[in-house]
Amino acid sequence: MSAESGPNAEARVAELARQVDELIALCERLRSENESLKHQQASLSGERARLVEKNEQARARVEAMISRLKAMESH
């Protein structure tokens, strides 16, 4: 009987199989988490774009008000 056969070899194969199963489960979990994070990033990017646009609109309104106030002062 060789050193690679017997209960010890079977135990090592079983342990490797268990580790492979764990790695597969981890990969699936990470893939799912990655997909979720991509969706979250897309959502946050869209929200950020909307907030930047609202900020620019508010800035334009404030600048317009300041201009009107300055024009009223000079009359």
Side-chain angles (χ1 to χ4, degrees):
M1 196 172 239
S2 73
E4 292 298 319
S5 63
N8 193 28
E10 290 176 18
R12 287 198 312 256
V13 169
E15 176 62 16
L16 286 173
R18 185 191 64 76
Q19 289 175 345
V20 168
D21 288 342
E22 285 181 8
L23 285 173
I24 290 170
L26 176 62
C27 286
E28 290 172 355
R29 198 166 57 246
L30 290 173
R31 186 178 296 118
S32 175
E33 181 181 345
N34 188 37
E35 196 63 32
S36 175
L37 289 170
K38 284 180 182 178
H39 289 299
Q40 184 180 5
Q41 180 183 16
S43 175
L44 291 172
S45 292
E47 182 180 354
R48 181 186 181 281
R50 286 188 299 277
L51 291 172
V52 166
E53 178 63 27
K54 286 176 87 173
N55 191 27
E56 290 300 320
Q57 291 172 354
R59 183 188 324 273
R61 286 195 305 269
V62 168
E63 288 174 357
M65 283 188 259
I66 290 170
S67 294
R68 286 194 302 271
L69 288 171
K70 285 182 180 178
M72 291 171 63
E73 282 179 347
S74 65
H75 284 107

